Amino acid sequence: MRGCLVLENGQKFYGQLLMDEPAVGEVVFNTGMTGYEETFTDPSYAGQIITMTYPLIGNYGTLKDIQQADRPYAAGFILSELCDRPSNWQNEGTLASFIMTHRIPCLYGVDTRAITRAIRSHGVMKGVIVPEHMADADVQSLLATPLETLLVKQVTPKSVRKMGDGRFHVAVMDFGAKANILKSLVKNDCRLTVFPAYTKAEEVLAVNPDGIFLSNGPGDPQDLPEVIAEVKKLIGKKPIFGICLGHQLLGLSVGAKSRKLAFGHRGANHPVKDVKTGRVYITSQNHGYVIDEATLPSDAIVTHVNLHDNTLEGFAYPKYNFFCVQYHPEASPGPTDNLYLFEQFVSMMEGK
């Protein structure tokens, strides 16, 4: 079936639909050449329509073990070429079957680079994936649908769970944590108590953890005032490590400000500089908001900056015994360059 992506500025892009179900979401693009299954199952994409800039997607099939959540939370997928004959010794099925099983609207056979150029020129915007024959009035009605803002509620677990049996007890605030983050903590001799996003600080501290981890997650950090209030109570009580949304929440909790990027950082090839050593790391990223470096407290220390646009990628606050990064060290595009951050967290819990 023929379908169409309609952006809120009126631009249209045509292709083929896997299913005739419409999708409404914020249209973003990801520049990764591999890792499409990890991208599609990353909870941080909740509510978004993901455009993959790399032209061939699905060529190595799917594998359940590399999925980052129990299901995709994205609103839709847009692809140039959808491979229907994957080749990989670990392949468990085609990407098309995976997408249809989870009933995620997908438009393929599209000029995804033209969509990317539109987003780069005008910024991320709302869009809809619809059948080509849908009446204009119905399309406009979909475009007028308000986007969900409390996305963390969609992806956070409903109850407390345990993982691992390591030496260090880590309390995880799960705002939509990727599976690889939790696995990386476990690999670094940690045992985890994973809490839902809206858990009270008193309940987290009651398990007497050696450290606290604040995970990635979707949406605008300013939409989470209740969470920020609890994070403020945790700061200074235990060593804390934050990634992505966790980084932003720590920034807001110490009085800094966040702002939205024009089209965000999404992909596996973003250069980030370690301010102290001058070393450049190739990083995986997925975020549309950043902490404004100029608004950080004077005694916070900037540790990492993005070499594409000089935005803040990490800071530490020795006074309160925490550090955080905006990018995803567990995704390993280096492939192991950034795993030292988990070791740094363990060292903090050891009191080093």
Side-chain angles (χ1 to χ4, degrees):
M1 175 185 292
R2 291 280 294 172
C4 181
L5 168 70
V6 184
L7 298 178
E8 61 181 328
N9 69 354
Q11 287 183 276
K12 296 182 179 181
F13 303 88
Y14 294 90
Q16 299 293 322
L17 282 174
L18 274 183
M19 298 170 290
D20 61 0
E21 297 178 9
V24 182
E26 181 182 58
V27 183
V28 302
F29 64 85
N30 181 292
T31 59
M33 297 173 66
T34 61
Y36 54 81
E37 192 170 7
E38 293 94 329
T39 295
F40 291 169
T41 54
D42 181 349
S44 292
Y45 279 107
Q48 295 179 325
I49 295 174
I50 309 170
T51 303
M52 301 299 291
T53 63
Y54 191 68
L56 179 61
I57 301 297
N59 53 317
Y60 53 86
T62 60
L63 175 65
K64 187 174 178 59
D65 282 351
I66 66 174
Q67 294 173 17
Q68 298 302 300
D70 58 346
R71 65 179 179 85
Y73 288 91
F77 305 133
I78 302 176
L79 315 175
S80 175
E81 182 178 345
L82 177 58
C83 179
D84 60 0
R85 298 182 67 184
S87 177
N88 181 5
W89 68 276
Q90 291 181 302
N91 174 42
E92 295 175 345
T94 66
L95 181 59
S97 295
F98 170 82
I99 292 171
M100 294 182 72
T101 296
H102 292 285
R103 307 298 297 174
I104 306 296
C106 176
L107 186 69
Y108 66 99
V110 189
D111 186 350
T112 56
R113 304 212 172 185
I115 297 172
T116 301
R117 288 172 65 90
I119 296 171
R120 285 183 62 90
S121 297
H122 304 290
V124 295
M125 64 189 90
K126 187 190 300 183
V128 294
I129 296 174
V130 295
E132 184 179 18
H133 58 73
M134 180 175 282
D136 286 344
D138 293 333
V139 173
Q140 293 307 312
S141 178
L142 285 173
L143 280 171
T145 304
L147 294 181
E148 177 61 58
T149 57
L150 298 179
L151 297 168
V152 167
K153 285 189 174 180
Q154 295 181 10
V155 301
T156 191
K158 300 296 186 279
S159 58
V160 177
R161 61 191 174 108
K162 307 279 189 177
M163 283 184 65
D165 57 1
R167 185 160 56 106
F168 301 97
H169 183 197
V170 176
V172 176
M173 297 294 291
D174 186 344
F175 310 119
K178 291 173 62 180
N180 276 355
I181 290 180
L182 302 181
K183 290 176 182 177
S184 295
L185 288 167
V186 170
K187 286 179 181 177
N188 280 273
D189 206 14
C190 296
R191 66 183 188 278
L192 314 180
T193 301
V194 184
F195 291 95
Y198 291 87
T199 303
K200 297 295 183 183
E202 293 78 10
E203 185 177 344
V204 175
L205 294 171
V207 303
N208 193 28
D210 298 305
I212 297 169
F213 177 78
L214 306 182
S215 85
N216 64 292
D220 185 343
Q222 295 187 50
D223 288 335
L224 301 168
E226 308 99 316
V227 175
I228 294 169
E230 300 306 317
V231 171
K232 287 180 179 179
K233 299 176 188 176
L234 296 173
I235 290 175
K237 299 295 195 304
K238 300 284 183 177
I240 300 177
F241 176 26
I243 288 177
C244 203
L245 181 61
H247 159 94
Q248 296 164 10
L249 293 172
L250 283 166
L252 293 177
S253 295
V254 296
K257 306 296 183 184
S258 65
R259 60 182 175 85
K260 189 170 186 175
L261 294 166
F263 45 81
H265 299 161
R266 299 177 179 89
N269 46 11
H270 292 254
V272 167
K273 181 179 179 180
D274 183 316
V275 174
K276 183 177 180 180
T277 66
R279 178 174 174 176
V280 176
Y281 295 89
I282 299 303
T283 69
S284 176
Q285 305 205 11
N286 175 21
H287 60 102
Y289 296 84
V290 292
I291 293 295
D292 187 344
E293 178 183 333
T295 67
L296 283 173
S298 59
D299 50 348
I301 300 172
V302 173
T303 57
H304 299 81
V305 294
N306 188 297
L307 292 183
H308 282 322
D309 58 11
N310 293 315
T311 52
L312 181 68
E313 289 285 353
F315 75 96
Y317 215 142
K319 173 181 171 182
Y320 294 119
N321 205 23
F322 78 71
F323 73 102
C324 52
V325 292
Q326 180 64 76
Y327 59 93
H328 282 266
E330 85 292 338
S332 304
T336 60
D337 297 11
N338 297 285
L339 298 181
Y340 76 94
L341 292 166
F342 294 99
E343 297 170 1
Q344 181 177 323
F345 182 42
V346 169
S347 293
M348 287 177 62
M349 290 188 288
E350 287 179 319
K352 295 181 180 179

